[in-house]
Amino acid sequence: MSPDLQRLIKLQQLESTIVDAKATIASHPQRLADADARLNDGKQAVEAAKNRLKENHEARRHLEKDVAVYQGRLTKFKDQLSLVKTNKEYQAMQHEIATAQSDLGAVEEKVLERMLEADTISADVKRAETVLVARQKEIDVEKKELAEELVSVEASLKQATEARTELLKDIEPRLIAIFEQVARARKGVAICSATRDGLCSLCHVRLRPPVFQQVRHNDSIIQCESCHRILYWIPPPPPIEHAVVHT
Ligand SMILES: [Zn+2]
């Protein structure tokens, strides 16, 4: 293969490394923010469950105050019952007592419901806390990996940028101009191989036979007539020689 083609292939590799590295570095703050957002969701789930538990306790306290009120009323009516003089008064008082007892029963029922609900909510709190602990660990690991990745990608960006600068010194300005023009128009990819059956491997257009023939020589700069990418040829591997087994 001609040194020009070899250098352009190398240039493409470096350019792609640089573009990828820059994209990874640019995405870094967002990936950190995403991790933090996931942690925050976990914290909020715990917070929400705790708030529900707090509301449950408050509601229960209110109901227990009502229980005390109804119990007080019931005691008062029972005391009064011993003081009534007439049958009519006695019946009226019995009626008051029955009502008070039924009110008390209803409130006590609600207290019981709240207590059962508290068990469920407490389990929810525990579950959310367990999830949060696991997520915290997971995100700590993720952030450590992100930080390590950043260091390594920054290093490879620096290395590729330096190598690119060096390489450009060895390439004819005319070729650099072609390369850059095509790269700009083709999402950064200015050079690609021709396939075995004579297609441009990226735009998939069939090359005219004389063009394909020239590309296969790998000794000149041939551009795809459709996408204008510079083409090179990867010769097929030599057929595997099967050892002849003598018997
Ligand atoms: Zn093409």
Side-chain angles (χ1 to χ4, degrees):
M1 188 183 280
S2 77
D4 279 343
L5 273 177
Q6 281 175 2
R7 291 187 193 113
L8 290 176
I9 291 169
K10 181 67 190 161
L11 179 61
Q12 184 65 64
Q13 286 166 352
L14 293 172
E15 298 265 340
S16 301
T17 302
I18 289 168
V19 166
D20 291 349
K22 283 182 177 170
T24 303
I25 291 167
S27 72
H28 204 260
Q30 186 58 53
R31 287 161 78 195
L32 275 181
D34 289 347
D36 280 334
R38 268 168 35 238
L39 186 61
N40 222 31
D41 287 348
K43 285 179 183 167
Q44 273 173 0
V46 170
E47 208 50 38
K50 281 185 174 169
N51 280 339
R52 279 196 294 133
L53 193 59
K54 203 172 131 202
E55 280 163 20
N56 168 284
H57 284 159
E58 274 163 15
R60 186 174 145 193
R61 257 198 306 282
H62 279 295
L63 289 169
E64 280 168 345
K65 274 182 199 156
D66 290 346
V67 167
V69 169
Y70 287 127
Q71 276 170 340
R73 196 176 293 169
L74 196 58
T75 308
K76 192 184 78 184
F77 289 150
K78 281 179 180 167
D79 288 348
Q80 286 172 350
L81 192 63
S82 56
L83 304 173
V84 298
K85 303 281 191 297
T86 66
N87 202 32
K88 197 179 165 194
E89 276 177 340
Y90 184 82
Q91 275 172 2
M93 195 51 69
Q94 283 285 26
H95 180 69
E96 296 282 10
I97 287 171
T99 307
Q101 238 156 6
S102 139
D103 288 347
L104 178 62
V107 177
E108 280 173 340
E109 183 68 28
K110 283 184 188 165
V111 170
L112 194 64
E113 280 170 18
R114 290 294 178 175
M115 286 168 78
L116 292 173
E117 190 187 65
D119 287 346
T120 309
I121 301 173
S122 293
D124 288 347
V125 171
K126 274 218 174 66
R127 202 163 26 240
E129 281 173 340
T130 307
V131 167
L132 178 60
V133 168
R135 191 169 296 179
Q136 176 77 63
K137 277 186 193 160
E138 193 182 288
I139 285 168
D140 285 348
V141 170
E142 201 174 307
K143 282 188 172 179
K144 193 169 161 275
E145 284 170 357
L146 278 174
E148 285 167 1
E149 185 197 66
L150 187 61
V151 169
S152 117
V153 171
E154 277 171 345
S156 73
L157 175 61
K158 186 168 176 279
Q159 203 178 31
T161 306
E162 286 166 3
R164 180 180 176 274
T165 306
E166 281 308 303
L167 183 60
L168 285 176
K169 290 177 189 165
D170 296 336
I171 305 176
E172 276 178 64
R174 178 183 66 90
L175 295 182
I176 296 175
I178 294 173
F179 185 96
E180 286 181 347
Q181 192 191 6
V182 179
R184 262 197 305 278
R186 298 290 167 195
K187 292 182 180 167
V189 182
I191 185 164
C192 66
S193 63
T195 66
R196 302 262 163 80
D197 46 358
L199 309 181
C200 166
S201 66
L202 287 182
C203 79
H204 309 295
V205 162
R206 181 166 297 283
L207 309 173
R208 286 186 299 116
V211 174
F212 185 39
Q213 191 55 37
Q214 258 182 308
V215 169
R216 288 169 64 149
H217 287 136
N218 265 345
D219 61 1
S220 54
I221 302 302
I222 312 290
Q223 289 175 263
C224 167
E225 288 172 322
S226 172
C227 72
H228 304 296
R229 290 187 179 96
I230 299 159
L231 295 165
Y232 60 93
W233 170 246
I234 304 168
I240 298 163
E241 307 263 348
H242 290 282
V244 179
V245 181
H246 297 281
T247 51

